[in-house]
Amino acid sequence: MAEILIKNVAKSFGSFKALHSIDLEIADQEFMVLLGASGCGKTTLLRIVAGLETPTQGEVWIGGRRVDHLPPRERGIAMVFQNYAVFPHLTVFENIAFGLRMKKLPQADIDRRVTRTAELMHIEQLLKRYSGQLSGGQRQRVAVARALAMEPDVILMDEPLSNLDALLRLEMRAELKGVLAASKTTTIYVTHDQVEAMSLADRISVMNQGRIVQAATPVEVYRNPAARFVGSFIGNPPMNFIPAMKAGEGKWTVAGITIDGPRAGRDRLDFAIRPEDVDVAPGGLKATARVVEPLGAHTLVTTDIEGAMFRAVLDSDIRVSPGDELSLVPKPDRVRWFDPETTAAV
Amino acid sequence: MTPRFLPYALLLPATLFLLVFFLYPFVQIAVLAFSGPDGFTLQHVQTMTSHWKFGTALTNTIVLALIVVPIQLVMALSMATIVTKLRTGRSAILYIFTIPLGLSDLAAGIIWLAIFEQSGFLNSLLYGLGIIERPILFLGYQNIWVIFIAVVLAEVWRATAIVMVILVSGMGLIPKEYYEAAEVFGASPWKRFVKITLPMLRPSLQSALILRTLAAFEVFAVVIALGGTTLPVLMGETFQWQFALQDRNVASAYALVILAISVVSTLFFLRVLRVPKEARI
């Protein structure tokens, strides 16, 4: 059992606050992805769990044991680094065996574990090679094998796929998911790539400016963003936002039409809808098409509603040209509302 | 001129300079060492080897290098490790450590002579503290080992910094991620030093050791300052034969001996600290 508990962790570098009081629980065997733009603090948080960075305040617990004062090697973790950190002076075999040798395991155990993880990562034919003789993808596999060979309670991954080309990334992503699920370890995975996050995670923690904005399942994060930032960060193209004015109890005026909304004690809210959640039908938002991009499965139409950009993902059968007027009706159950001041969901 | 030849053209003056001022004298010395009135002869080599000081000079030179270089290596490694860990004041410390590099070896020898000679600092100190009743002759021929120790001290004091400077720059080239990976995978600070720093430092260790060992084989002024000719070394004998005994042929033979052990030690370090191409960073 290795659940991870992060309690009130903060980190400052000089006067710069990299993390503001983070609280996060990660269940045993859960795959947690920390997602955010660069500089949001996700890597710092991962390094604090690893023990490579000391938190300014707060506690880190792994498997019921407080670890924030322990060196990395006593935390029961393994890590995959962004640049792999495969030791250039050691063969692939010795790289995978590195942690096992440090644990002083018997040679027979080392041989068995290295062979098994190498087979798992399909690098058994590379064991005698040096890192300099490997491709990026192969190095990545060695780095993962080295972590798995430790049979750790927790695997930490810092943007492990970001240095691979697109095709390889797709392949490794699927493979990682399978391998890690089978290994039954708790995983924290840092990435800035939302597709990677959505496809791998049991839960995603969306981070922004040193805070966790939302920690929930991928579908929840996508469908019910806890804050405007999450809606605009996740999804490609991102969520559309239009300012709305109160038109009565539970009624809101959005770009000239009235829509049912929350009974909030405010005069203004932000109306939000995902680009794929609108239909072309009479009585909707009046939009002027600006750019039409047929993408095969569907057509992405960038429009203009009262001077603001609004994107719609429409069926590819639709005939639209730039300059055309469209009427876009939002699906009522997919409409979300945000407080313009706090940016939180209403 | 095509760009392909430009680098060679630019290197040409330096190459010519080396050929004229190094290779030519070197050939001349080789010729001097092996030629007599009747052409090729081993007579000068025999004169050299049969002289009673030759064996002592050779042994002293090699033993000095065998003691001085490892001490310098260990000290430089520790100093470099500490210096690279510093966050502030790193360059200040580096400057202080490298002060002795600015001194000539003769000056260094004279400084240590001022400490060890009969009216020197050490005697004054011991006398002042009442430990001795009259000054001791430390650097006399009766106790050559004291001269030996003094030379070792002076050499370590004078030339450790050059090794350290090379190692500091070498350590700076090792990416931080390797240390972090080693740390996460269970390596203690000592293991990280042995398993990461040392192997990845091999190119710098190689340069530093070759440089230092060659210089150690050429030790001269420090020995002359501290012991005169009481502690014979190869370079000192070369000087003696050239200027005191006015025998250029035997002096040349000595020079060739120094060259030979230098070449052997260089090949040794090149071989032992070689990094296979595929295992480079």
Side-chain angles (χ1 to χ4, degrees):
Chain A
M1 289 293 283
E3 70 286 350
I4 302 169
L5 204 57
I6 296 165
K7 277 191 207 167
N8 192 25
V9 162
K11 174 75 182 176
S12 305
F13 295 103
S15 62
F16 173 68
K17 278 210 110 171
L19 291 176
H20 302 263
S21 180
I22 300 278
D23 285 293
L24 189 63
E25 269 183 58
I26 301 162
D28 183 41
Q29 299 187 25
E30 188 176 23
F31 197 123
M32 171 64 86
V33 171
L34 303 181
L35 174 66
S38 59
C40 73
K42 56 192 193 297
T43 296
T44 306
L45 184 58
L46 186 84
R47 289 169 60 84
I48 286 174
V49 176
L52 295 170
E53 211 77 70
T54 320
T56 314
Q57 64 170 56
E59 300 173 11
V60 179
W61 295 69
I62 296 176
R65 199 164 58 108
R66 189 172 170 184
V67 297
D68 47 82
H69 57 285
L70 298 176
R73 61 178 185 277
E74 287 168 35
R75 296 187 179 202
I77 54 160
M79 189 159 169
V80 178
F81 291 81
Q82 184 172 9
N83 301 320
Y84 320 134
V86 172
F87 303 123
H89 60 288
L90 299 178
T91 59
V92 169
F93 184 100
E94 285 304 322
N95 262 285
I96 302 175
F98 189 89
L100 309 176
R101 292 212 189 284
M102 291 301 136
K103 278 186 175 174
K104 298 201 164 63
L105 290 192
Q107 185 63 41
D109 285 3
I110 293 178
D111 288 342
R112 189 174 46 77
R113 284 215 212 172
V114 171
T115 316
R116 194 180 59 80
T117 43
E119 278 168 6
L120 201 61
M121 295 310 297
H122 308 296
I123 45 170
E124 64 271 31
Q125 74 286 2
L126 305 175
L127 286 175
K128 289 191 179 120
R129 301 244 191 117
Y130 287 93
S131 152
Q133 298 164 300
L134 304 179
S135 68
Q138 290 170 330
R139 260 177 242 177
Q140 171 64 58
R141 286 166 183 279
V142 175
V144 175
R146 180 172 62 181
L148 289 173
M150 295 292 283
E151 297 176 5
D153 300 328
V154 174
I155 289 191
L156 306 174
M157 299 197 164
D158 185 8
E159 307 237 9
L161 305 183
S162 63
N163 287 351
L164 301 180
D165 60 60
L167 208 63
L168 210 53
R169 202 179 312 160
L170 213 66
E171 186 191 316
M172 272 303 283
R173 196 171 79 197
E175 214 174 312
L176 266 186
K177 187 166 185 169
V179 166
L180 287 168
S183 75
K184 294 187 191 297
T185 53
T186 311
T187 307
I188 304 183
Y189 186 107
V190 163
T191 183
H192 65 270
D193 181 335
Q194 44 160 314
V195 182
E196 217 170 284
M198 300 288 281
S199 72
L200 287 170
D202 292 327
R203 273 199 303 155
I204 298 177
S205 295
V206 184
M207 294 185 68
N208 185 34
Q209 297 183 342
R211 289 190 172 85
I212 292 181
V213 188
Q214 185 173 15
T217 61
V219 174
E220 177 73 10
V221 164
Y222 187 79
R223 285 277 169 243
N224 299 314
R228 189 183 159 131
F229 170 80
V230 179
S232 58
F233 187 74
I234 293 187
N236 187 20
M239 225 171 189
N240 295 300
F241 299 92
I242 303 174
M245 297 295 285
K246 195 167 188 171
E249 204 49 26
K251 299 280 177 196
W252 297 84
T253 307
V254 179
I257 65 166
T258 306
I259 294 178
D260 289 342
R263 295 166 187 277
R266 292 195 163 279
D267 292 338
R268 298 198 46 200
L269 283 182
D270 281 334
F271 159 91
I273 187 87
R274 292 244 171 237
E276 67 272 26
D277 293 333
V278 291
D279 293 313
V280 179
L285 302 159
K286 283 193 189 61
T288 314
R290 293 292 178 217
V291 182
V292 180
E293 299 168 76
L295 302 173
H298 41 250
T299 297
L300 172 62
V301 184
T302 305
T303 71
D304 190 327
I305 294 181
E306 291 195 337
M309 187 166 69
F310 186 100
R311 292 197 189 87
V313 170
L314 303 173
D315 195 282
S316 45
D317 286 343
I318 196 160
R319 297 269 161 267
V320 197
S321 318
D324 290 358
E325 295 288 331
L326 293 171
S327 169
L328 301 172
V329 178
K331 293 176 184 164
D333 60 325
R334 295 287 167 82
V335 173
R336 300 291 176 264
W337 302 89
F338 296 93
D339 186 320
E341 276 168 34
T342 64
T343 79
V346 179
Chain B
M1 193 183 298
T2 61
R4 248 182 77 193
F5 294 109
L6 186 63
Y8 298 101
L10 290 173
L11 289 172
L12 192 65
T15 313
L16 283 178
F17 179 86
L18 285 174
L19 285 174
V20 172
F21 290 101
F22 283 90
L23 199 60
Y24 176 67
F26 167 73
V27 171
Q28 268 209 316
I29 282 170
V31 169
L32 269 175
F34 292 111
S35 61
D38 312 317
F40 180 81
T41 174
L42 286 174
Q43 189 209 325
H44 310 305
V45 178
Q46 273 165 2
T47 312
M48 171 180 75
T49 50
S50 57
H51 191 273
W52 68 272
K53 272 191 173 175
F54 174 75
T56 330
L58 183 64
T59 318
N60 283 345
T61 306
I62 290 174
V63 171
L64 254 177
L66 284 179
I67 291 173
V68 169
V69 175
I71 291 177
Q72 288 182 322
L73 180 64
V74 171
M75 285 182 63
L77 273 172
S78 347
M79 285 151 75
T81 309
I82 296 167
V83 167
T84 45
K85 291 236 168 80
L86 292 178
R87 297 222 176 138
T88 46
R90 186 171 151 180
S91 37
I93 298 272
L94 263 180
Y95 283 127
I96 294 171
F97 276 1
T98 45
I99 286 173
L101 286 184
L103 286 177
S104 76
D105 47 355
L106 183 60
I110 290 168
I111 287 175
W112 285 85
L113 181 67
I115 296 172
F116 281 105
E117 70 184 340
Q118 222 165 348
S119 55
F121 295 124
L122 186 58
N123 269 318
S124 311
L125 182 74
L126 293 176
Y127 184 76
L129 290 173
I131 297 171
I132 52 174
E133 282 177 7
R134 71 174 74 84
I136 302 170
L137 178 62
F138 287 115
L139 302 174
Y141 67 92
Q142 298 94 329
N143 29 10
I144 288 179
W145 61 272
V146 180
I147 302 178
F148 200 88
I149 290 171
V151 171
V152 169
L153 278 173
E155 280 290 284
V156 167
W157 175 81
R158 182 182 71 85
T160 303
I162 185 72
V163 183
M164 187 200 69
V165 168
I166 295 172
L167 296 186
V168 165
S169 72
M171 284 178 185
L173 293 176
I174 304 176
K176 213 178 90 198
E177 245 183 2
Y178 293 127
Y179 288 106
E180 293 186 339
E183 200 177 346
V184 165
F185 287 100
S188 60
W190 172 248
K191 282 279 181 199
R192 293 202 287 279
F193 179 73
V194 176
K195 297 273 180 189
I196 308 293
T197 311
L198 282 185
M200 299 191 77
L201 202 56
R202 271 190 294 188
S204 309
L205 283 173
Q206 199 178 54
S207 327
L209 281 172
I210 289 175
L211 211 68
R212 239 344 270 155
T213 310
L214 295 200
F217 287 149
E218 288 162 14
V219 66
F220 174 59
V222 169
V223 179
I224 294 293
L226 286 165
T229 54
T230 318
L231 184 74
V233 287
L234 289 176
M235 209 61 183
E237 288 311 294
T238 313
F239 185 84
Q240 280 290 314
W241 283 93
Q242 174 78 21
F243 296 105
L245 305 170
Q246 297 279 330
D247 191 331
R248 299 171 60 194
N249 302 89
V250 179
S252 302
Y254 263 105
L256 286 184
V257 171
I258 297 171
L259 179 72
I261 57 173
S262 299
V263 168
V264 169
S265 80
T266 302
L267 290 177
F268 171 77
F269 287 127
L270 285 178
R271 181 89 194 85
V272 170
L273 294 171
R274 194 177 69 92
V275 183
K277 202 169 154 204
E278 63 273 15
R280 281 172 205 162
I281 298 178

